[in-house]
């Protein structure tokens, strides 16, 4: 009767794929482990190849899961998603593509990933706020080859075929109370 009226409602923010923008974002940080050590040990050219490989893997996964690169962080990428499950699926794909380190005695070449969810503040094509800070801290707490997420990510994933392992409350810098973290298994 009303037709496709939602597409024509004024003053409703939309994503490029014509989804209504709720303001909720999953925030993901990747961190390439050992990039400084590679630069020091093997030289800058090797480190740049190392970083280039990371960037290609992460950007391909972002494209496939409809994530948006907010910015490059030097040895990682800060990205956002309008769907929490897409962020988790993207992180799993990234970790699988990185695989095991080439040198079994070294963690170099591994990536750690942290994801949170919330309503960040947008300014000049960048995102700010507690959800962004939390994702960065979670990423910093993750081990090489590990995906850690906040309880909000787990709760917003209800009904999705995702598995989470409770890692308990963890004290994170800048947060008054311990934050309950969950690990996403790679299966």
């Amino acid at each position: 009767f009303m037709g496709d009226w939602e597409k024509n409602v004024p003053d409703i923010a939309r994503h490029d794929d014509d989804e209504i923008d709720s303001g909720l974002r999953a925030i993901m940080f990747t961190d390439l482990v050992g990039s400084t050590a590679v630069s020091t040990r093997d030289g800058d050219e090797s480190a740049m190849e190392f970083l280039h490989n990371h960037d290609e893997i992460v950007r391909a996964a972002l494209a496939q899961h409809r994530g948006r690169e907010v910015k490059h962080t030097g040895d990682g990428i800060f990205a956002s998603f309008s769907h929490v499950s897409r962020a988790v699926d993207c992180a799993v794909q990234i970790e699988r593509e990185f695989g095991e380190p080439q040198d079994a005695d070294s963690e170099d070449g591994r990536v750690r990933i942290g994801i949170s969810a919330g309503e960040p503040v947008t300014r000049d094509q960048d995102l700010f706020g507690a959800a962004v800070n939390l994702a960065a801290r979670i990423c910093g707490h993750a081990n090489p080859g590990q995906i850690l997420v906040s309880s909000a990510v787990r709760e917003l994933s209800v009904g999705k075929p995702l598995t989470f392992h409770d890692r308990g409350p963890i004290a994170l810098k800048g947060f008054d109370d311990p934050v309950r973290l969950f690990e996403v298994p790679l299966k």
Side-chain angles (χ1 to χ4, degrees):
F1 172 71
M2 296 291 285
D4 203 7
W5 67 274
E6 283 186 331
K7 282 190 172 184
N8 300 310
V9 175
D11 302 325
I12 292 181
R14 296 185 184 281
H15 294 288
D16 292 337
D17 54 8
D18 213 30
E19 294 176 355
I20 294 176
D21 185 356
S22 68
L24 178 71
R25 297 282 181 276
I27 305 297
M28 180 178 82
F29 277 86
T30 67
D31 177 50
L32 185 58
V33 178
S35 59
T36 302
V38 169
S39 180
T40 303
R41 183 183 64 237
D42 302 330
D44 291 339
E45 190 172 313
S46 292
M48 291 309 295
E49 287 177 30
F50 193 53
L51 184 60
H52 178 73
N53 181 55
H54 164 273
D55 294 350
E56 281 188 341
I57 290 171
V58 173
R59 287 177 175 144
L62 286 173
Q64 184 174 341
H65 296 281
R66 294 162 62 186
R68 177 179 76 89
E69 181 177 338
V70 177
K71 64 182 162 186
H72 201 278
T73 61
D75 61 355
I77 288 180
F78 163 21
S80 74
F81 298 79
S82 59
H83 293 79
V84 172
S85 59
R86 289 181 189 159
V88 174
D89 290 342
C90 182
V92 168
Q93 179 180 333
I94 290 167
E95 288 292 3
R96 285 184 179 154
E97 289 192 29
F98 267 88
E100 294 299 316
Q102 293 177 355
D103 179 357
D105 295 331
S106 173
E107 294 295 344
D108 294 352
R110 302 297 305 272
V111 67
R112 67 178 110 225
I113 300 175
I115 306 172
S116 71
E119 296 178 335
V121 176
T122 303
R123 190 175 100 199
D124 300 327
Q125 302 297 313
D126 203 348
L127 298 175
F128 302 90
V132 174
N133 297 337
L134 180 57
R137 295 290 186 220
I138 292 170
C139 182
H141 187 76
N143 292 318
Q146 185 179 45
I147 302 166
L148 290 179
V149 303
S150 67
S151 57
V153 170
R154 180 179 168 267
E155 291 167 9
L156 289 166
S157 297
V158 169
K160 303 295 183 192
L162 299 170
T163 303
F164 301 92
H165 297 299
D166 192 343
R167 294 298 175 233
I170 307 294
L172 296 175
K173 183 180 174 185
F175 291 87
D176 294 336
D177 298 318
V179 176
R180 184 165 293 279
L181 299 181
F182 295 84
E183 182 175 357
V184 178
L186 300 179
K187 298 174 187 170

